Amino acid sequence: QAYAVFAAQENMEKLLKEQGMWDLYRNVEIPLVFTLRQMEADGIAAEKEALSVYGADLAERIGELEAQIYEEAGEEFNINSPKQLGVILFEKLGLKGGKKTKTGYSTAADVLEKLRTAHPIVERILHYRQLAKLKSTYADGLLAVMDAETEKIYSTFNQTITATGRISSTEPNLQNIPVRLELGRELRKIFIPESAEFCFLDADYSQIELRVLAHISGDESLIAAFKSNQDIHRMTASQVFHVPFDEVTPLQRSNAKAVNFGIIYGKGAFSLGQDLGISRKEAEEYINAYFARYPKIKTFMEDTIKNGTKNGYVSTLWNRRRNMPELQSSNFMQRAAGERAAMNMPIQGTAADIIKLAMIKVHRALQEGGYRSRLILQVHDELLIEAYKEEKEAVAKILKENMEHAADLLVPLDVDVHEGASWFEAK
């Protein structure tokens, strides 16, 4: 067995060196093992009583919504049964847009989203689903996995599951708490430091993916905006909609923000139009105006697809590869999905590599400095530290400096640090 492991290791080393990923393996993934091991061992404390109250509150709200849905439907039925829900919506209430399959009508989220304004019941069903998910996955789910002795929750962090290199967390997944929902954000209140001697410090990167895009594409306008610390979405709105910077309306800024992030995720005119509630043609005009203003971003996107198709993979700045055979697919839908993923991978993957490097640096600095404070959670572009109160100023400095200097890009990395007595307060 030892010989087999040794032989496999030799083979792996050879492959990693051939593919240019040896440095990534040695300098990022292996050191990160020790950081994640410590995070898993420390866990995060949670208030059991507050979690129970949160669950009871959700149950009450779900009950109220159920009653309203039954009233709108004129009868009681199983809201969680797509078959029964389909009959209510598309037969009894006669809503348009129902697609009947062998098993009944589709009541998937995207179908209901389109019907949101067609009848008040739809909005309630979508809300009901969000609350039901919060209750089962988090209120009940977190209570079930809480350690009875320590009243802590111990998550497992995975390094190699996602295609882009992002860390994921499982059993429980603490990275997927739906923060867009007020009640989802509220859930963060139950996560607290393990004793009164500690507080939380939460640091997150400001617009890291757009900064990575500026660096990788080398687009001068975007680089200049980040260097001069401008409001990037306002600036995009000003340049794309041809209005003076100071006269950009909140709606124009919001639309420019959607375009900025849409570009990162490889969204086309159809998808962007849906997001903004505008026609496909108008969305296409936005995208064309964007690329006219930032031509190097367009070149970067086109080159990424071209090289990805030729090589069969795309990679991050640290040479993390993602194989993309679908770029050569004869199936249009498959190829289009591959192109979107290919455009996003170098950006999201590079951001993930930077965050991993930041975690290693922060963890080492805390260990080497003999601090009692420790890194306990990572959620995409955010790090959470359980800080010993007497060390908090020094630790906030360590956090900010190590995150901002995790990588040397053409634009500065910007980090905000907040303090609080719960994860909710620190965010």
Side-chain angles (χ1 to χ4, degrees), residues 300-314 327-328:
F300 156 70
M301 296 294 187
E302 287 168 348
D303 288 351
T304 300
I305 292 170
K306 194 168 74 187
N307 295 331
T309 307
K310 187 177 80 182
N311 302 326
Y313 67 86
V314 289
L327 288 175
Q328 295 161 354

Side-chain angles (χ1 to χ4, degrees), residues 210 231-241 248-263 272 276 286 290 294:
L210 275 173
D231 176 338
I232 200 76
H233 302 310
R234 179 178 279 271
M235 191 207 73
T236 302
S238 164
Q239 295 182 336
V240 170
F241 303 131
V248 170
T249 66
L251 178 66
Q252 285 172 325
R253 184 186 182 278
S254 159
N255 285 352
K257 185 176 180 178
V259 177
N260 269 329
F261 288 116
I263 298 291
L272 183 68
L276 295 176
Y286 280 10
Y290 183 95
Y294 305 118

Side-chain angles (χ1 to χ4, degrees), residues 19-31:
Q19 295 185 359
M21 287 196 280
W22 180 248
D23 283 350
L24 174 78
Y25 173 75
R26 293 293 303 159
N27 302 327
V28 182
E29 296 301 340
I30 291 301

Side-chain angles (χ1 to χ4, degrees), residues 82-83 85-87 89-91 95-115 270 274:
K83 198 171 182 179
L85 179 60
V87 170
L89 295 179
F90 302 113
E91 290 180 12
L95 299 185
K96 301 280 176 277
K99 290 192 194 88
K100 199 159 192 185
T101 61
K102 281 178 197 167
T103 52
Y105 294 95
S106 167
T107 59
D110 60 337
V111 174
L112 295 191
E113 278 296 339
K114 286 176 191 153
L115 296 170
F270 178 72
Q274 278 192 319

